[in-house]
Amino acid sequence: AKSRATINRPQEPKPPFPYLIEEVKFTNVDAGFDLAGTLTMPEKGGPFPVAILVSGSGPQNRDEELLGHKPFWVLADNLTRQGFAVLRYDDRGVGKSKGEFKTATTLDFATDASAAIDYMKKRIETDTTRIGLIGHSEGGLIAPIVASSRKDVAYLVLMAAPGLPGEQILLLQSALISGVEGTDEKTINANLKLSRDIYAVLKKNSDNEKAGQKIRALLAESNKKHAKDSSYHEMSDTEVAAQIETLTSAWFRTFLTLNPENYLSKVNCPVLAINGSFDLQVPPKENLQAIEKALIFGGNSSYVIEELPDLNHL
């Protein structure tokens, strides 16, 4: 019998913890609900610089728990040991946070991160001149959205963050992933054309019903065209329905056209942007270039941009 491999995660922090751990709640006043999180703080000293951790896309808990990893717990532990107060929170509608995740867009999540700043500003332990945001993936887009409209964000760390609009990222992503999977050029190009056509439909039709019908027609046409193609995966009705639901969601519609440059060019605080060289979700070269271009365009010269070797999106 095969023994089941146990996954060792040596990076997970082990007790005892040499710092304070507090369960907290804070309110997103405009949206009208409470978010819940964990605040870790050094035991003595203060007021402390603050790091607020902002998670990537999809419903995440405060540890940003993904595929057996808990990156935000690892980060919070490390930074708190170095003298930071760190707030990490469950996304709206996840864990102990109220609100609804399904209907929210990136711009809505930005109001949650903004509420976290308001909360930390009220804590006596906070050095209010040193509150920053550390965002991963979509969190790395949320952070500049918040910092572009608030003057009280002291720094941003953008990890695997997008610099290009969603549509460009998706097209790059699909070409890269297909390439890695060994898909032939012709198929890659056909898929890219189909994606571009679908995105055009979404941008032209704000009515979901109408957009759904047109996307369904595009997918049916693609199925017919590739019927003889052995490597082509024909989508079932259920898959098509699920795909259309995703594509026409408020989140996806916003992601498609949201341009990080519009926000990054208004960020005046110091920025650290780091992406991994193996990232297929947010390709590093193109996105880091776009981030840098936007910061330069906005006249921000205090930034560091690095592509880290041998790291993927996580």
Side-chain angles (χ1 to χ4, degrees):
K2 272 213 256 165
S3 67
R4 203 169 154 230
T6 55
I7 298 172
N8 182 23
R9 301 281 186 224
Q11 75 271 48
E12 276 191 18
K14 304 277 180 285
F17 301 111
Y19 49 77
L20 305 168
I21 301 173
E22 189 185 328
E23 290 269 325
V24 298
K25 274 202 165 117
F26 57 95
T27 307
N28 181 331
V29 179
D30 295 338
F33 56 78
D34 283 353
L35 293 143
T38 301
L39 176 60
T40 49
M41 279 185 296
E43 279 174 346
K44 37 186 183 301
F48 306 111
V50 172
I52 294 165
L53 308 186
V54 187
S55 72
S57 54
Q60 311 288 339
N61 67 17
R62 62 192 72 185
D63 294 330
E64 208 199 28
E65 199 170 334
L66 286 159
L67 305 170
H69 290 278
K70 295 179 180 175
F72 278 8
W73 183 21
V74 176
L75 267 180
D77 174 74
N78 188 295
L79 288 168
T80 308
R81 288 170 190 266
Q82 294 184 63
F84 280 78
V86 183
L87 174 62
R88 59 195 208 269
Y89 57 93
D90 296 331
D91 287 351
R92 57 166 75 190
V94 176
K96 292 183 178 163
S97 286
K98 302 285 183 257
E100 197 184 348
F101 186 88
K102 210 167 75 241
T103 52
T105 70
T106 306
L107 299 169
D108 297 320
F109 296 131
T111 68
D112 296 341
S114 210
I117 297 174
D118 295 338
Y119 171 73
M120 286 311 296
K121 282 180 86 166
K122 292 190 199 112
R123 300 276 313 209
I124 53 165
E125 305 91 343
T126 297
D127 175 348
T128 53
T129 64
R130 294 198 291 167
I131 299 174
L133 298 171
I134 301 180
H136 175 234
S137 193
E138 186 189 7
L141 170 54
I142 291 166
I145 291 173
V146 175
S148 69
S149 64
R150 293 186 71 133
K151 294 289 158 266
D152 53 2
V153 179
Y155 67 88
L156 297 182
V157 179
L158 313 177
M159 306 186 291
L164 297 167
E167 178 169 8
Q168 281 172 266
I169 291 178
L170 291 166
L171 294 169
L172 269 171
Q173 196 183 80
S174 101
L176 271 172
I177 292 172
S178 307
V180 169
E181 287 171 347
T183 314
D184 64 272
E185 195 79 12
K186 197 175 141 213
T187 310
I188 291 178
N189 289 332
N191 287 339
L192 288 174
K193 184 186 178 314
L194 176 62
S195 295
R196 279 200 190 90
D197 292 346
I198 288 172
Y199 303 152
V201 165
L202 286 167
K203 286 186 289 192
K204 275 201 204 87
N205 301 276
S206 57
D207 179 292
N208 277 348
E209 189 116 333
K210 197 181 274 179
Q213 285 167 356
K214 294 189 168 176
I215 292 169
R216 195 171 265 112
L218 282 170
L219 292 170
E221 192 189 335
S222 171
N223 280 344
K224 207 159 76 193
K225 211 192 252 163
H226 298 281
K228 295 192 179 68
D229 193 342
S230 58
S231 65
Y232 181 77
H233 166 73
E234 185 171 330
M235 289 170 93
S236 68
D237 293 349
T238 323
E239 284 173 314
V240 168
Q243 181 81 344
I244 288 171
E245 193 182 343
T246 300
L247 291 166
T248 55
S249 69
W251 183 85
F252 190 87
R253 283 181 171 281
T254 302
F255 172 72
L256 198 62
T257 55
L258 204 61
N259 189 350
E261 198 178 312
N262 297 341
Y263 303 98
L264 286 159
S265 60
K266 296 188 185 85
V267 170
N268 303 320
C269 65
V271 176
L272 167 64
I274 48 177
N275 289 45
S277 67
F278 289 171
D279 191 336
L280 299 176
Q281 271 113 316
V282 178
K285 190 167 67 56
E286 297 83 351
N287 284 285
L288 287 173
Q289 273 171 0
I291 290 171
E292 181 162 28
K293 200 174 108 194
L295 292 170
I296 292 171
F297 180 71
N300 187 341
S301 55
S302 75
Y303 62 82
V304 172
I305 294 201
E306 262 189 72
E307 184 176 322
L308 302 173
D310 307 338
L311 295 181
N312 64 17
H313 189 66
L314 279 191

